[in-house]
Amino acid sequence: MVQEYNSILNWIEFPDPMANPYYPFDVYNLPFDIGYKLWEIIGGAIAWLINLLFPGNPVSTWLVCDATCTLLALVIFMLLIFIVAFVSTLIVLWMERKCLGRMMDRRGTMVGMKGFLQCVADGLKTFMKENTAPKKVDKMTYWWCVSLIVGLSVLVLCMVPLSQRWFVVDYQTGLLIIMAFFALAPFLILVSGWAQNNKYSLIGGMRAAELMISYEVPMLILIATTALLAGSFNIGDIVNAQADSVWYIIPQIIGAITFFFCATAEAERVPFDIAEAEAELVEGWQTEYAGMKWGLIMLADYMRGSVSCSMFVILYLAGWTLPFIGNGPIPEIVFLLKSYLVFFFMILIRCALARVRTDQILNIGWKVFMPLSVINLAIVLLLKVGGVF
């Protein structure tokens, strides 16, 4: 870069980000590429203006050097990942409210853009409410638990790759890492229920722990079964294995159905929302959370629901690929549409089924889903031994 250049075109360039010596990935990453180009425009414009005022200054050169471009491109990269995940969650929330309205013979949300802005309006409303907390709560645990629940939900949702080019980290044990973070929420809910010094909150937290124990084990067996069939815990490898052979929902139809209901339970959705159970426990473990805190908790619930749908798509619906097409021109849209389809079935279940009792949910988890997950594992073992996969 020549500092005395006065044309903005000399400061804004669009080099190949993978040629940058500080490029943080081993393969092409689309959101980082977008962030890199955005900083080329923003940083180049700022550098040009500074150079006009102070010709030959070192700040302009620093703003467009390789290290600075990489650092600030990473910041834009994470913002872009979060924005896409956040908007996707709002779409899921809007879709449920509209579908529930139609199924209840009403119109659903009506505020702007086919009712989509109702979600934004409700979010603004919760943020404008007074931020209060009961006097006798364990304040540190009370605040930290809700922060960690929301933070982990955002982290897990952002970690889910939308395609081979849209990811945060290409980790070899991606499924295990995502499920490990996903499974922490029920523990935090239990601790949060205890910290509120409220019997309804405590009962809700204990129910969440029971739910987690009953359904986490079958889910882990099903995930290990899919990894065994694909020969890897890497999400990209699992998706590519299905693209090269057949979608795993066909040989693992039992496992797919079992995983769907276990994922619904882990996301604490009807009919497995015993941890909340507002009809009998006021608002369950969320009783003493109000205003902004309650709004963020509800948003985190839908984020976990989105993660559940995304995991189902990765494990059984070949992720972002399509039959006879492969990745296609916009694989990210394909992945999101598949996730929305899975979530639509969760909405149907919410409309069709009543809440399951605590004893029933334990029996279903241990006496139904656990044997089914083992049967699914046995089928996959037979297919592997028989040389089918």
Side-chain angles (χ1 to χ4, degrees):
M1 181 62 64
V2 182
Q3 296 178 354
E4 63 268 22
Y5 281 175
N6 293 325
S7 173
I8 190 173
L9 297 178
N10 297 123
W11 293 97
I12 299 178
E13 298 178 347
F14 295 103
D16 181 8
M18 297 185 68
N20 189 319
Y22 299 99
Y23 189 72
F25 304 100
D26 295 328
V27 295
Y28 176 73
N29 187 292
L30 177 60
F32 180 83
D33 188 14
I34 296 173
Y36 197 88
K37 287 180 169 58
L38 284 175
W39 179 251
E40 284 289 334
I41 297 173
I42 298 171
I46 295 174
W48 170 69
L49 289 173
I50 296 176
N51 190 65
L52 283 180
L53 298 174
F54 308 99
N57 71 91
V59 176
S60 296
T61 305
W62 176 81
L63 285 173
V64 294
C65 71
D66 289 340
T68 305
C69 287
T70 302
L71 176 62
L72 295 174
L74 280 173
V75 175
I76 300 175
F77 157 78
M78 289 308 303
L79 286 175
L80 186 61
I81 292 285
F82 172 76
I83 289 171
V84 171
F86 181 73
V87 172
S88 178
T89 303
L90 291 183
I91 292 174
V92 164
L93 176 58
W94 167 81
M95 184 173 70
E96 179 169 51
R97 300 176 79 169
K98 292 297 284 188
C99 290
L100 288 177
R102 296 297 181 180
M103 293 172 185
M104 297 175 185
D105 197 22
R106 56 185 177 84
R107 303 192 69 177
T109 57
M110 297 293 294
V111 179
M113 298 172 58
K114 300 296 183 180
F116 182 79
L117 293 181
Q118 181 67 58
C119 304
V120 180
D122 289 342
L124 293 174
K125 180 184 69 175
T126 58
F127 276 85
M128 292 174 65
K129 290 187 176 181
E130 184 179 0
N131 188 17
T132 60
K135 290 183 178 179
K136 295 185 179 180
V137 299
D138 186 330
K139 290 188 177 181
M140 185 177 71
T141 310
Y142 174 84
W143 287 104
W144 271 104
C145 282
V146 66
S147 301
L148 289 173
I149 289 170
V150 176
L152 284 173
S153 300
V154 174
L155 175 63
V156 173
L157 183 60
C158 291
M159 289 175 66
V160 175
L162 301 185
S163 70
Q164 286 183 325
R165 62 183 185 180
W166 190 287
F167 59 89
V168 176
V169 181
D170 186 20
Y171 28 78
Q172 295 301 315
T173 56
L175 284 178
L176 292 181
I177 294 173
I178 289 176
M179 292 309 301
F181 284 120
F182 191 75
L184 286 176
F187 286 108
L188 295 171
I189 290 173
L190 173 60
V191 177
S192 175
W194 170 83
Q196 293 174 54
N197 194 27
N198 182 299
K199 60 182 179 181
Y200 298 111
S201 302
L202 180 59
I203 294 173
M206 294 176 66
R207 286 183 171 186
E210 292 176 339
L211 181 69
M212 183 275 299
I213 294 171
S214 300
Y215 289 84
E216 194 69 29
V217 177
M219 282 188 70
L220 290 176
I221 294 176
L222 293 169
I223 290 173
T225 302
T226 300
L228 172 65
L229 196 59
S232 173
F233 275 106
N234 183 278
I235 292 175
D237 293 343
I238 293 173
V239 172
N240 292 331
Q242 296 177 72
D244 295 337
S245 57
V246 65
W247 289 11
Y248 286 167
I249 193 173
I250 296 176
Q252 294 193 75
I253 184 63
I254 296 176
I257 296 173
T258 304
F259 186 89
F260 177 79
F261 283 102
C262 289
T264 304
E266 283 290 310
E268 298 177 39
R269 291 185 54 82
V270 177
F272 305 107
D273 62 334
I274 61 170
E276 182 178 341
E278 72 278 359
E280 55 191 89
L281 295 177
V282 187
E283 190 64 20
W285 70 274
Q286 307 173 28
T287 299
E288 300 297 348
Y289 289 107
M292 177 187 67
K293 300 186 293 296
W294 181 86
L296 289 174
I297 289 171
M298 293 302 295
L299 181 64
D301 288 342
Y302 279 92
M303 286 181 173
R304 293 203 301 274
S306 298
V307 172
S308 299
C309 297
S310 299
M311 294 299 294
F312 185 91
V313 171
I314 290 170
L315 293 174
Y316 302 107
L317 299 181
W320 46 83
T321 63
L322 290 173
F324 312 110
I325 298 178
N327 287 326
I330 313 178
E332 298 82 13
I333 301 298
V334 172
F335 184 87
L336 291 174
L337 290 177
K338 287 182 180 181
S339 300
Y340 298 153
L341 178 62
V342 176
F343 192 81
F344 176 73
F345 284 100
M346 286 189 176
I347 298 172
L348 292 181
I349 290 177
R350 175 174 180 175
C351 293
L353 301 178
R355 180 182 301 117
V356 181
R357 295 199 316 262
T358 305
D359 60 322
Q360 292 174 331
I361 205 168
L362 294 176
N363 289 331
I364 293 172
W366 292 112
K367 297 181 181 180
V368 178
F369 291 151
M370 176 66 78
L372 287 177
S373 63
V374 175
I375 292 172
N376 182 71
L377 175 60
I379 293 173
V380 169
L381 286 173
L382 290 175
L383 293 174
K384 293 289 286 186
V385 172
V388 179
F389 288 93

